Amino acid sequence: MKVLLLKDPKDKDSGPDPYIKELGSYSLEATLIPVLSFDFTSLESLFGKLSHPECYGGLVFTSPRALEAIKICLKEKSKKEAWSNSLKQMWNIKPTYVVGKATASLVEEIGLVPQGEKAGNAEKLAEYICSREKPNSSALLFPCGALKREVLPTVLREKGIPLESLTVYQTAQHPDLQESLSSYFSQQGIPASVVFFSPSGVKFCLQHIQKLSGDLINQIKFAAIGPSTAEALRGAGVAVSCTAGSPTAQDLAAAIHTALQPHPCSGPQ
């Protein structure tokens, strides 16, 4: 059975995409279609703030893209040297809070130690941070996207924990999205399952998929990587067949495998 994953492929340097690999272990044939493109902004301002760890109580990352912004900064030789020589060690005295394994692994790549990765979503991470931070302490620095949800900032604000947000990327529709979807449906047919990885993905893809599927849309099991994406699908009037227990390839593959199992009839009709 075919599964359509609406996400960017993993960097080629780091081996096969874990989602394709995990779904393959259930004999599911997965295809990736990139949905989003990102424009990075305020990078000088970002590095300026990273250059003053003494002003902050720690870091918060809820998206791999925020780490990509830092990695772009560190491509500059002088910034990379400043990071390696002192800044990294100074930040490592403070907590670096993250959601999910993908973000955690990127935090490790820049030499920091992630905390809270098992939280799985912004709501649970906010609870985790509140259990560890004191009200009115130094602000946590939160590099984020322009479309960030307000859940985490709202919870921290209610608990009196200061958070300084900095928008470091803008999200837009991938320029090849419509063409890629049309090509997939014409060549592969209707997939057994379509997986959404963000509310933005729902916004940019759903109408195209509904149009391409036509009357066969009810055959598709729609899956979400987490609760906010599932909420966006339901808000658009789509029945969600499964949501990953945590935002990992293993949990998503297991949830899709279960959702695609034939359900026996409950009795005589």
Side-chain angles (χ1 to χ4, degrees):
M1 283 192 280
K2 292 182 169 66
V3 177
L4 176 57
L5 302 170
L6 298 169
K7 69 180 282 288
D8 279 341
K10 196 177 176 191
D11 293 340
K12 291 183 179 70
D13 303 341
S14 49
D17 187 274
Y19 290 92
I20 289 182
K21 191 176 165 191
E22 286 296 326
L23 286 160
S25 71
Y26 291 104
S27 301
L28 296 168
E29 184 189 331
T31 302
L32 296 167
I33 289 182
V35 171
L36 309 173
S37 65
F38 300 94
D39 294 320
F40 292 96
T41 60
S42 310
L43 296 184
E44 284 302 319
S45 178
L46 171 61
F47 197 77
K49 292 176 188 297
L50 289 173
S51 300
H52 291 283
E54 71 280 2
C55 296
Y56 298 97
L59 290 160
V60 179
F61 296 108
T62 58
S63 155
R65 307 295 164 198
L67 273 307
E68 282 181 35
I70 292 175
K71 288 174 91 171
I72 292 167
C73 291
L74 298 182
K75 283 180 181 173
E76 216 173 292
K77 192 182 175 191
S78 61
K79 292 185 169 92
K80 189 173 185 178
E81 285 174 358
W83 181 259
S84 299
N85 293 342
S86 63
L87 295 176
K88 180 172 68 176
Q89 291 86 334
M90 291 167 77
W91 280 110
N92 261 330
I93 299 165
K94 304 163 188 288
T96 299
Y97 298 109
V98 304
V99 167
K101 279 189 177 177
T103 307
S105 65
L106 287 169
V107 163
E108 288 167 351
E109 280 179 28
I110 62 166
L112 300 180
V113 180
Q115 293 185 30
E117 65 184 87
K118 290 182 180 171
N121 60 53
E123 288 90 337
K124 288 179 183 169
L125 182 65
E127 288 170 21
Y128 180 84
I129 293 171
C130 290
S131 72
R132 291 171 168 263
E133 295 291 324
K134 293 187 174 74
N136 305 316
S137 51
S138 298
L140 299 169
L141 179 60
F142 180 33
C144 56
L147 299 178
K148 77 174 188 308
R149 294 172 71 229
E150 290 302 318
V151 172
L152 187 140
T154 301
V155 172
L156 296 193
R157 188 166 57 245
E158 285 169 357
K159 298 287 185 181
I161 295 164
L163 185 74
E164 186 178 316
S165 301
L166 177 68
T167 299
V168 295
Y169 66 92
Q170 306 275 349
T171 306
Q173 179 175 311
H174 193 283
D176 301 329
L177 175 62
Q178 211 163 335
E179 192 182 327
S180 299
L181 285 170
S182 298
S183 173
Y184 176 88
F185 276 80
S186 64
Q187 291 170 24
Q188 310 260 9
I190 307 290
S193 178
V194 174
V195 188
F196 288 84
F197 285 78
S198 68
S200 303
V202 175
K203 176 184 167 186
F204 294 136
C205 291
L206 187 59
Q207 281 188 317
H208 296 312
I209 287 167
Q210 288 168 328
K211 192 174 174 184
L212 290 162
S213 306
D215 295 340
L216 301 176
I217 188 109
N218 294 332
Q219 292 180 15
I220 300 173
K221 302 281 187 186
F222 286 97
I225 191 64
S228 60
T229 305
E231 190 183 310
L233 279 166
R234 290 190 192 101
V238 172
V240 179
S241 295
C242 64
T243 304
S246 68
T248 64
Q250 293 89 340
D251 278 14
L252 180 71
I256 291 170
H257 171 69
T258 302
L260 290 175
Q261 295 305 301
H263 296 290
C265 295
S266 54
Q269 298 299 307

